[in-house]
Amino acid sequence: MRPVELMIQAFGPYAERETIDFTQLVGRSMFVVSGRTGAGKTTIFDAMTFALYGRASGSLRNASDFRSQYAQPELKTEVDFSFTIRGDRYRIVRQPQQPHPKNKTPIPHEAILYEWEDGWKPLATKVNEVQERIESILQLSYEQFSQILLLPQNQFRQLLDSNSNEKQQILQSIFKTEAYRTFQEKWGERYSAYRKQVEWAVERTRLKLLELEDEAIEEVSTQSIEEIQRWLDEREEYLMTTCDTAKTQKQLYATALEEAREALEKAKSLVTLFKEREETDRALAIFLNGESIRNETRELLTNLEVAANIRPVFERLQELEQLVRRLTMEEQTSSTKLEHLQSTQSKLVERQPTIEKDKEEVISRKERLRIVDEMMPRIKERTTLVTLRDQLMNRAKQLATFSKESRLQELQEKERQLVESIKSEPSERAVDAERHVDRLVHLASLEAKASELSKQLDECERTGKDIQRQYVTQQEVVSTFTLQEQLLLARQLSETLVDGEPCPVCGSRHHDIPQHEETVTNIAERDAAVDRLDDLSTRLIEARADYRSFYQQLEAVRKELDQASKDIQFDGDITEELNKWRTRAERLQREERIRQENERTLRQLSAEIRQLEQERRQQFEERERVVSELEATQQNLHALGQSEETTFDALQRERADLEHRISMLMKQVEAYDLEFETVKKALWKEEERLSLIREQLTEASKQYDAQQTIWVNQLEASHLTRERYESYANQIDKRTMIREQLQREEEEGVRLRHHKQMIEEKLKNQERPDLHEMEMKVKEVAECSEQASKQLITAQDALSRHRHVISEWNTLREQTAQEEQKLETIKLIADTGKGINPQKMTFETYVQTAFFDQILHAANIHLDQMTSGQFRLERKVETAKGNAKSGLELLVFDAYTGQSRRVQNLSGGEGFKASLSLALGLAEVVQQLSGGISLETMLIDEGFGTLDAESLDQAIELLMSLQATGRLVGVISHVQELKDRVDARIEVKKSRSGSSIQLIVE
């Protein structure tokens, strides 16, 4: 990241807009920021950090304090910062939350990130989105930015003094070692998952045996593999014997069942013949009883044949009878209709004079309608002008007076009063009182936090003492177990000594064996006691660490409380002071709200007054236009002359009446003509139709009489009457069916006699067998055979299942053994990756140490130059105590003493040199490895004041040598020698109205 331009407005001590154009450095890689104390040098770095992350460069400054007290209320606090990174150019505009110049609602925190693509194009417009995109672009969090690119005031030793965990997070972000951590975590997860899988495989192997469903399997499954295998062999032999026995029994019952079934089938056939003979006898008896009915049927067939011969004559007679009856009815209907039409025609002739009068009235009314149509246009024009004249006169009267005149005067008076009320400015601003209230609230919160931390510190101290007492007690318990173990070993050794043979401990050949008390050592209790002691040791260390943490936090809060108390002077309790200032702030807020409400009301009144004046002016102009139009209308009426007696409306009504009457009369005339013509045509048609019907009726009557004579002659020849013929008529068409039915009955009689003779020949003298007894015997034998089959199937299934389960059990045993071996390998890899190894180093940390060693190598080159070879940074390789992570702790080797010591023991000047060297080394290694992070800039706030003359000269030489790398180094310093040797300076000048910035390039 390399800065291009920084614009600061109403920010910190800068009241106006100040701009720093870093492109004017023209290839220079170092600049110095100088100025008086409090002028705003550090604020420049604050502005860069705030633009990027929304926070200050140091932990003692808050973003809420960035609002300049010198700035005008309407000028917004804002930072506009553009920079380049990896060839891309970005710009970020950010403003902190700040008071609104006119109302109480503050202006919110806002930020916008732009990217240059033929112009500035927004990438993110929300604060959270900007934060995420900046960290993605820079590949650094705020904390990492402060430790690598920016060495804030009084915080330049953070990277040097950070512990192994903090360095691990920095290196993880820079060198992307998350993959190694993911690798070790996945192996841990894989071990946990695979361990459950192996445990389930062992249990599944045992559960497989339980599938045998044997009463003894529960007990057998817990025994050794040899005992289980022996029991399984015995069980398989028993099952095989059971199968053989069941198979023999089944074959015996199958033979008996087959014989019983054959005998039953023969008996069933014989019983069937007896049943057929009985059914045949019954059918034959029924046939013989129906002989009389068959004779009647034969006589019926003879009569039906005779009736069929005379049926055509009878059907023709019926047709002629129906024709005569139909023509007679039509003659009667036509005569009645003809009489009705003649009556209607007579009535129409009587109405003819009335219709002639209607035609004459139509002609006269059409003439009057023509005259009315000629008069209407002239009457309509005059009526329209009269109506318009009346409307214009009414409108002119309405516009003569302005209805809102009193309202306008009332508003003008209110406007004058409000202008008088807001002339004077308030003596005190509410925002100043609110800021003082915020400082008091912050002070009160610090006091509450200090009180809470004090309580937590006391509680932590009590907990630590309690753990200390438990630790001492547990030490005594472990000592007792150790002593008992030693006594047990001594007794066991004494029991092995033989007189004359040397003691393996002292070498003596004479053994005076003392009497030992009986000692019993429980190994599990001893191990539990040791684990308990280790746990208490860890808890004691943690309690001490918590105590130090709470103590440091309390001291920091107290310091901040003392600093905050210096800025606020008051007597009495802070709560009373806070309430007093809150009341004062609320009063000022109410006054300010009232004033703002008056201003808003004044603006509304002014707008309404202008609106009413505009309406009054428009009304006057409208009245002038109406009067002018009224005069023109009067002139048009004079031009038309005097009005006629009738009106336009009367003419319209008369015209409508005429049209209605003409239409009604025309319909009546047309209806009469149509009806007269229709009746005339219908009368002629009906006369012709009646004449034709009478001729047809005469001819049909003659034919009917002739057919009646023929029918009577046919009946006499057939020896039938009409009644007997009609009784046979319905059955004439059934002759064939009756004949066929009679033939079938005769053939069935012949068949029955033949079938009875055949059955008698088969039965001869045999007796009827007892089927029930034979079926019971078959059923009994079948049940025995089925039972034997079930026993055989059960035995075979048991043997097959036994062999199948044993086969699967053997397969599972082999698989479980392989998985247990694989689990051991996975556990070894997972434990090694998690740091369960002699070095207590995780896999990720091991990879990071390789990068860290390169950083230290590059840093030592610069440190050697600045310290003339006295110091060298080195990584601590000893394993940390307890569960603490190790591998990234730093030591410093002092060539003068020949010993290594902790970097925290370096003095201020020595620490500055080491921190600067470490930062430079980190930047060089990252750029060499192309880790995705661009470290083209380094910002240093103070630190040179702690160096002696020789160290200062060495540090300056080192920073000047960085010009060859192209890295930009910015330094805030009061050291005159540094300012004299750097030809690019940013001078900050302080004045009563705020500070200003000037970039000087010599």
Side-chain angles (χ1 to χ4, degrees):
M1 188 275 291
R2 193 177 187 92
V4 175
E5 185 179 68
L6 175 66
M7 187 283 294
I8 305 173
Q9 176 176 286
F11 190 87
Y14 302 101
E16 301 294 338
R17 179 188 294 260
E18 301 291 337
T19 303
I20 303 175
D21 186 2
F22 291 96
T23 58
Q24 295 183 15
L25 296 178
V26 194
R28 293 172 178 78
S29 58
M30 186 172 179
F31 65 90
V32 175
V33 182
S34 63
R36 293 167 53 191
T37 301
K41 302 184 297 298
T42 303
T43 304
I44 296 176
F45 290 177
D46 283 340
M48 294 183 187
T49 310
F50 171 72
L52 294 172
Y53 295 98
R55 298 169 64 179
S57 62
S59 59
L60 300 180
R61 293 177 293 276
N62 297 320
S64 60
D65 299 330
F66 287 154
R67 174 65 183 174
S68 176
Q69 297 181 353
Y70 302 99
Q72 295 297 324
E74 63 275 3
L75 189 63
K76 286 186 178 180
T77 299
E78 185 176 81
V79 176
D80 189 341
F81 179 49
S82 58
F83 60 92
T84 59
I85 182 169
R86 292 184 292 274
D88 296 326
R89 186 176 176 186
Y90 299 92
R91 173 190 174 198
I92 183 169
V93 180
R94 188 188 294 270
Q95 65 178 28
Q97 182 175 333
Q98 53 192 295
H100 195 281
K102 294 185 178 180
N103 54 53
K104 185 178 180 181
T105 304
I107 298 174
H109 181 189
E110 296 179 355
I112 303 177
L113 176 63
Y114 300 92
E115 183 180 13
W116 181 266
E117 292 181 1
D118 298 329
W120 291 115
K121 297 183 179 179
L123 285 181
T125 58
K126 296 182 179 179
V127 174
N128 293 337
E129 294 177 356
V130 171
Q131 181 76 12
E132 294 174 359
R133 296 299 293 268
I134 284 294
E135 292 185 359
S136 174
I137 292 170
L138 300 183
Q139 296 291 299
L140 294 172
S141 65
Y142 166 78
E143 292 75 12
Q144 295 163 352
F145 178 85
S146 300
Q147 292 174 327
I148 298 174
L149 297 186
L150 174 64
L151 299 183
Q153 189 175 17
N154 302 322
Q155 300 181 51
F156 56 84
R157 292 184 57 152
Q158 280 190 358
L159 178 60
L160 184 70
D161 296 340
S162 59
N163 58 31
S164 184
N165 286 338
E166 294 169 346
K167 288 189 180 71
Q168 183 178 2
Q169 295 176 1
I170 297 172
L171 295 176
Q172 182 186 89
S173 175
I174 295 174
F175 296 109
K176 311 299 181 187
T177 60
E178 298 92 338
Y180 304 102
R181 182 184 60 186
T182 304
F183 174 79
Q184 68 193 34
E185 290 175 352
K186 285 185 177 179
W187 274 98
E189 296 172 358
R190 185 176 179 184
Y191 168 69
S192 299
Y194 207 78
R195 182 182 62 187
K196 295 178 181 178
Q197 182 178 343
V198 171
E199 291 173 353
W200 167 241
V202 173
E203 180 64 16
R204 185 177 56 183
T205 304
R206 190 185 74 83
L207 292 175
K208 178 56 68 175
L209 286 176
L210 299 182
E211 294 180 6
L212 294 176
E213 299 178 356
D214 197 293
E215 294 179 356
I217 195 61
E218 285 285 351
E219 180 180 354
V220 172
S221 64
T222 60
Q223 297 177 3
S224 63
I225 298 297
E226 292 76 10
E227 292 294 328
I228 294 174
Q229 192 64 51
R230 182 184 60 78
W231 182 85
L232 292 174
D233 293 340
E234 293 176 355
R235 187 175 188 272
E236 183 174 359
E237 185 177 354
Y238 168 75
L239 292 175
M240 290 174 64
T241 302
T242 304
C243 283
D244 293 339
T245 303
K247 188 180 294 183
T248 302
Q249 190 71 19
K250 181 179 181 303
Q251 290 175 353
L252 292 175
Y253 281 115
T255 303
L257 179 62
E258 185 65 25
E259 293 175 354
R261 284 177 175 172
E262 289 179 359
L264 179 62
E265 288 298 325
K266 291 180 180 179
K268 286 181 178 180
S269 299
L270 191 58
V271 169
T272 301
L273 287 175
F274 276 101
K275 289 181 178 180
E276 287 182 2
R277 186 177 68 178
E278 294 172 356
E279 292 175 358
T280 303
D281 290 342
R282 286 194 298 270
L284 188 58
I286 293 171
F287 174 76
L288 295 175
N289 293 333
E291 184 64 27
S292 60
I293 296 175
R294 285 193 292 276
N295 292 329
E296 294 176 359
T297 302
R298 294 187 186 97
E299 184 180 356
L300 176 63
L301 282 173
T302 302
N303 293 327
L304 289 176
E305 289 294 338
V306 174
N309 293 329
I310 65 174
R311 184 170 62 176
V313 178
F314 181 74
E315 289 177 351
R316 175 60 181 168
L317 179 64
Q318 285 182 326
E319 291 177 0
L320 291 173
E321 184 178 357
Q322 292 177 358
L323 177 61
V324 171
R325 189 182 300 114
R326 179 177 63 80
L327 290 174
T328 301
M329 293 178 63
E330 288 181 357
E331 181 189 16
Q332 294 175 358
T333 303
S334 180
S335 297
T336 303
K337 188 175 180 180
L338 182 61
E339 292 175 359
H340 175 72
L341 290 173
Q342 290 173 348
S343 175
T344 302
Q345 186 180 31
S346 299
K347 292 178 181 180
L348 290 175
V349 172
E350 292 175 358
R351 285 179 55 197
Q352 191 169 7
T354 304
I355 296 302
E356 291 297 332
K357 291 181 181 180
D358 290 341
K359 290 180 180 179
E360 294 175 357
E361 184 179 354
V362 167
I363 294 172
S364 64
R365 288 185 179 274
K366 285 184 177 180
E367 179 63 22
R368 176 58 184 171
L369 181 61
R370 183 185 63 76
I371 296 171
V372 169
D373 287 340
E374 292 176 355
M375 294 172 60
M376 283 185 68
R378 185 171 67 258
I379 300 301
K380 181 179 180 181
E381 182 180 1
R382 181 171 185 80
T383 303
T384 302
L385 290 175
V386 171
T387 303
L388 178 60
R389 180 194 62 188
D390 296 339
Q391 292 176 350
L392 291 174
M393 291 176 65
N394 293 332
R395 181 61 178 164
K397 291 179 180 179
Q398 293 174 359
L399 295 175
T401 305
F402 185 58
S403 61
K404 299 181 182 178
E405 185 65 31
S406 59
R407 174 62 178 170
L408 177 60
Q409 295 175 359
E410 179 184 353
L411 292 176
Q412 289 173 342
E413 178 62 23
K414 287 183 178 180
E415 181 184 29
R416 185 187 61 77
Q417 295 174 358
L418 287 174
V419 170
E420 291 294 330
S421 65
I422 63 176
K423 279 184 178 180
S424 59
E425 292 291 334
S427 60
E428 185 178 3
R429 295 192 307 171
V431 66
D432 296 330
E434 291 174 0
R435 290 176 180 172
H436 191 73
V437 169
D438 291 340
R439 288 194 288 270
L440 288 173
V441 170
H442 179 61
L443 184 61
S445 66
L446 289 175
E447 289 184 353
K449 187 176 181 181
S451 176
E452 180 64 24
L453 287 172
S454 179
K455 292 179 182 178
Q456 293 177 348
L457 186 64
D458 294 341
E459 178 64 24
C460 186
E461 184 178 5
R462 287 193 298 272
T463 304
K465 290 179 179 179
D466 182 54
I467 295 174
Q468 177 70 31
R469 287 193 297 271
Q470 296 180 27
Y471 180 77
V472 173
T473 303
Q474 193 65 24
Q475 278 183 324
E476 295 175 357
V477 174
V478 173
S479 299
T480 302
F481 277 111
T482 304
L483 179 59
Q484 290 178 355
E485 187 176 6
Q486 292 173 353
L487 292 174
L488 178 61
L489 293 174
R491 183 170 63 79
Q492 293 174 350
L493 178 62
S494 65
E495 292 175 353
T496 61
L497 296 178
V498 180
D499 287 336
E501 295 182 2
C503 175
V505 178
C506 62
S508 175
R509 295 180 180 274
H510 301 286
H511 314 298
D512 185 10
I513 302 174
Q515 295 295 325
H516 298 287
E517 295 181 0
E518 189 66 25
T519 303
V520 179
T521 302
N522 189 323
I523 297 177
E525 292 181 359
R526 182 200 62 187
D527 292 344
V530 173
D531 293 341
R532 172 67 175 166
L533 182 63
D534 292 341
D535 181 60
L536 288 172
S537 176
T538 302
R539 290 174 57 192
L540 184 60
I541 294 172
E542 292 175 352
R544 290 173 177 170
D546 291 342
Y547 181 83
R548 288 194 298 272
S549 175
F550 283 132
Y551 181 78
Q552 292 172 358
Q553 292 180 41
L554 181 59
E555 288 299 314
V557 171
R558 285 175 176 170
K559 289 181 181 178
E560 188 176 357
L561 182 61
D562 294 339
Q563 183 64 33
S565 300
K566 293 178 182 179
D567 299 334
I568 303 175
Q569 301 295 330
F570 64 90
D571 296 329
D573 183 55
I574 188 172
T575 303
E576 296 179 357
E577 183 71 12
L578 179 59
N579 292 334
K580 182 182 72 176
W581 274 94
R582 278 178 173 166
T583 303
R584 186 174 182 179
E586 290 174 357
R587 177 179 57 79
L588 291 173
Q589 290 171 359
R590 286 195 301 272
E591 293 176 356
E592 187 172 336
R593 283 197 299 271
I594 293 172
R595 181 179 180 85
Q596 292 173 354
E597 183 64 27
N598 289 337
E599 291 176 351
R600 184 164 54 253
T601 303
L602 179 59
R603 289 193 296 271
Q604 294 175 352
L605 288 177
S606 299
E608 189 175 355
I609 289 173
R610 289 193 297 272
Q611 178 67 25
L612 290 176
E613 290 177 346
Q614 178 68 19
E615 291 179 4
R616 185 173 61 181
R617 186 165 52 255
Q618 291 176 353
Q619 181 174 331
F620 177 77
E621 294 173 354
E622 176 69 11
R623 185 176 182 278
E624 292 296 323
R625 184 190 63 79
V626 169
V627 170
S628 175
E629 188 175 352
L630 178 59
E631 292 176 353
T633 302
Q634 289 283 13
Q635 292 176 1
N636 291 333
L637 282 173
H638 288 304
L640 288 176
Q642 296 297 325
S643 61
E644 299 180 8
E645 295 181 357
T646 184
T647 63
F648 181 76
D649 292 338
L651 287 176
Q652 281 186 320
R653 287 193 297 272
E654 182 181 359
R655 187 180 188 283
D657 293 340
L658 289 171
E659 288 180 342
H660 176 70
R661 180 61 179 169
I662 291 171
S663 174
M664 183 181 66
L665 292 174
M666 289 297 295
K667 289 179 181 179
Q668 290 178 359
V669 172
E670 291 173 356
Y672 173 82
D673 293 341
L674 178 62
E675 184 180 2
F676 188 84
E677 187 65 25
T678 301
V679 170
K680 183 178 179 181
K681 290 180 180 179
L683 182 62
W684 176 80
K685 288 182 179 179
E686 197 60 33
E687 289 174 348
E688 291 292 329
R689 181 171 175 271
L690 180 60
S691 175
L692 180 62
I693 290 173
R694 286 173 177 172
E695 292 177 359
Q696 291 176 350
L697 179 59
T698 301
E699 181 63 26
S701 297
K702 292 179 180 180
Q703 293 179 1
Y704 176 75
D705 293 339
Q707 190 67 23
Q708 180 70 25
T709 302
I710 296 172
W711 168 245
V712 170
N713 294 333
Q714 289 286 344
L715 284 177
E716 291 176 354
S718 301
H719 305 288
L720 294 174
T721 64
R722 180 167 181 168
E723 290 76 11
R724 286 188 65 189
Y725 170 80
E726 290 177 353
S727 64
Y728 292 141
N730 293 332
Q731 300 183 53
I732 291 175
D733 295 333
K734 298 179 181 179
R735 298 192 311 279
T736 304
M737 182 182 66
I738 294 172
R739 188 181 298 106
E740 291 176 353
Q741 177 65 27
L742 180 62
Q743 184 178 357
R744 284 195 298 271
E745 290 178 359
E746 292 174 347
E747 290 175 354
E748 178 65 15
V750 175
R751 188 190 67 77
L752 289 174
R753 292 186 182 93
H754 178 72
H755 187 62
K756 180 180 179 180
Q757 183 180 0
M758 182 182 65
I759 292 173
E760 291 292 348
E761 291 177 356
K762 289 182 179 179
L763 289 176
K764 295 183 180 179
N765 297 324
Q766 296 186 38
E767 295 182 357
R768 188 166 186 163
D770 188 353
L771 281 181
H772 179 69
E773 181 180 353
M774 299 182 74
E775 288 175 350
M776 291 300 295
K777 183 177 179 180
V778 170
K779 182 178 181 182
E780 181 180 352
V781 176
E783 289 177 354
C784 294
S785 178
E786 184 178 358
Q787 186 65 28
S789 298
K790 289 181 179 179
Q791 291 176 356
L792 177 60
I793 292 172
T794 301
Q796 289 175 343
D797 288 347
L799 179 60
S800 176
R801 181 167 181 77
H802 172 87
R803 290 174 176 173
H804 179 70
V805 170
I806 299 311
S807 175
E808 291 184 347
W809 178 68
N810 289 327
T811 302
L812 288 175
R813 279 199 304 128
E814 295 175 1
Q815 294 175 353
T816 302
Q818 295 175 359
E819 290 181 353
E820 287 176 341
Q821 294 178 0
K822 187 175 180 180
L823 178 65
E824 291 298 323
T825 303
I826 294 175
K827 183 177 184 300
L828 177 61
I829 297 174
D831 290 346
T832 303
K834 289 190 296 184
I836 304 176
N837 51 57
Q839 292 77 23
K840 293 185 178 180
M841 187 183 299
T842 65
F843 183 48
E844 182 184 15
T845 305
Y846 175 76
V847 175
Q848 289 176 345
T849 57
F851 293 117
F852 197 45
D853 289 341
Q854 296 181 46
I855 294 171
L856 294 180
H857 175 73
N860 284 328
I861 296 175
H862 301 299
L863 185 60
D864 183 83
Q865 178 181 348
M866 283 194 291
T867 62
S868 300
Q870 178 183 358
F871 295 119
R872 184 177 73 252
L873 296 173
E874 56 185 23
R875 184 172 58 83
K876 183 179 179 182
V877 296
E878 289 80 4
T879 303
K881 295 181 180 180
N883 297 325
K885 294 183 180 179
S886 61
L888 298 177
E889 290 84 359
L890 271 180
L891 297 175
V892 60
F893 176 77
D894 191 341
Y896 292 173
T897 62
Q899 295 181 352
S900 298
R901 52 193 169 102
R902 299 170 66 242
V903 293
Q904 288 80 3
N905 295 332
L906 292 173
S907 65
E910 293 170 345
F912 175 77
K913 296 177 185 179
S915 298
L916 182 58
S917 301
L918 190 60
L920 294 173
L922 175 61
E924 292 173 2
V925 171
V926 169
Q927 290 183 347
Q928 290 173 3
L929 298 179
S930 301
I933 301 176
S934 177
L935 306 180
E936 303 178 67
T937 303
M938 177 175 291
L939 306 174
I940 304 172
D941 191 352
E942 297 295 348
F944 291 93
T946 60
L947 303 180
D948 54 30
E950 181 181 359
S951 298
L952 175 62
D953 186 66
Q954 293 170 343
I956 293 175
E957 290 296 333
L958 173 63
L959 295 176
M960 296 296 290
S961 66
L962 295 177
Q963 292 185 0
T965 65
R967 186 180 298 115
L968 180 65
V969 179
V971 180
I972 295 177
S973 179
H974 295 279
V975 180
Q976 186 61 41
E977 184 178 355
L978 181 62
K979 292 189 285 184
D980 294 341
R981 297 186 58 177
V982 179
D983 57 358
R985 300 190 307 278
I986 296 176
E987 292 189 356
V988 182
K989 297 181 180 180
K990 182 178 182 181
S991 66
R992 286 182 170 273
S993 60
S995 300
S996 60
I997 297 174
Q998 183 180 6
L999 176 61
I1000 300 175
V1001 180
E1002 297 178 353

